[in-house]
Amino acid sequence: MFKIGCHLSITGGYAAMIREAVGIGANVIQFFTRNPRGGTTKALDLSDVEEFNRLAVEYSVGPVLAHAPYTMNPAAAKPDLRDYALSTMTDDLMRLSHIPASMYNFHPGCHVSQGTEIGIGHICGILSRLLEVDSHTVILLETMAGKGTEIGGCFEELEQIIRKCGSPSADKLGVCLDTCHVYDGGYDIAGDLDGVLDEFDSILGLERLRAVHLNDSKFGFSSHKDRHACIGEGLLGMEAIVRIINHPKLRDLPFYLETPNDVPGYGREIALLKSCRK
Ligand code: FE
Ligand code: FE
Ligand code: ZN
């Protein structure tokens, strides 16, 4: 089955997101666990989450992908910033423990002026603590565009993070491939998708790949800008995107749109992508 959906707002609560997804033909969803900029969030409404779970089963929506706030920095030099990232992520995992078949995606962070190695050490300090939490939620590292001092702009850095955390199984720690980010980061998924997937497999192992953020890119190959475009309207292009959703090594993964769209716009992209599925 083609698992295709998009990022939705949690503002109206959990159950409302499933209804919204069903209304636009989505069978997977992503949402921010909290305001991605502010970081604060209200207490979990357990009856709302129960209704969410009931509707998710009724309409076969899932897996659910929660996205950590992108303003926190697990690679930060300042201990209080790292403490903040750890407590935020621990709280997010507690919330997600109420949702079966959930995954939790985060940006590894920016090393700023510390260098990649120290940054990766900080990330692993936090990740090791998170992996101790008894949780069924799969934690995912997102492939980044390599903008500024971002860590995770190449597969090797993600592999170093995983290895430094003791290489937990792919059911505990996986990778989410963002099509805009990798293309922008210098992996030619438009010209040589097979080659990029082979490289992913040899460095990380394809079993680690658990989700795809499906986005077109406003800027060209290897531009390190990280600007998402609507499907078929960017420089990655429709042809490449159609190959991605149909590729035998990718087609069974859940695809989450993070394109610059309102909800009806997502609905149109989902319909378009379904019509391109072979
Ligand atoms: Fe992201
Ligand atoms: Fe993404
Ligand atoms: Zn992005």
Side-chain angles (χ1 to χ4, degrees), residues 72-133:
M72 57 168 212
N73 184 11
K78 287 194 178 138
D80 56 325
L81 292 181
R82 295 202 302 276
D83 286 347
Y84 171 73
L86 176 61
S87 60
T88 300
M89 294 173 90
T90 306
D91 182 67
D92 282 348
L93 281 181
M94 262 179 43
R95 288 163 185 269
L96 292 169
S97 69
H98 298 280
I99 300 175
S102 52
M103 304 191 287
Y104 183 53
N105 172 75
F106 77 105
H107 296 179
C110 295
H111 68 74
V112 191
S113 55
Q114 309 167 88
T116 308
E117 207 182 318
I118 292 176
I120 286 177
H122 291 328
I123 295 164
C124 290
I126 288 174
L127 249 184
S128 314
R129 298 277 300 277
L130 291 175
L131 289 162
E132 284 166 12
V133 177

Side-chain angles (χ1 to χ4, degrees), residues 178 181 226 228:
D178 186 307
H181 295 176
D226 189 4
H228 302 188

Side-chain angles (χ1 to χ4, degrees), residues 211-231:
V212 177
H213 282 165
L214 192 62
N215 303 306
D216 211 324
S217 177
K218 209 165 198 123
F219 290 93
F221 173 65
S222 205
S223 57
H224 304 287
K225 289 261 201 331
D226 189 4
R227 289 282 302 279
H228 302 188
C230 287
I231 296 302

Side-chain angles (χ1 to χ4, degrees), residues 30 32 67-68 70 105-107 142-144 176 178 181 213 226 228 258:
Q30 175 180 264
F32 284 125
H67 195 306
Y70 49 77
N105 172 75
F106 77 105
H107 296 179
E142 182 167 353
T143 58
M144 302 308 294
C176 172
D178 186 307
H181 295 176
H213 282 165
D226 189 4
H228 302 188
E258 300 177 310

Side-chain angles (χ1 to χ4, degrees), residues 14 20 40 63 113 127 139 147 182 184 188 204 207 220 224 231:
Y14 279 82
E20 202 161 43
T40 54
S113 55
L127 249 184
I139 299 174
K147 187 172 137 193
V182 289
D184 210 30
D188 190 8
L204 284 156
E207 70 283 358
H224 304 287
I231 296 302

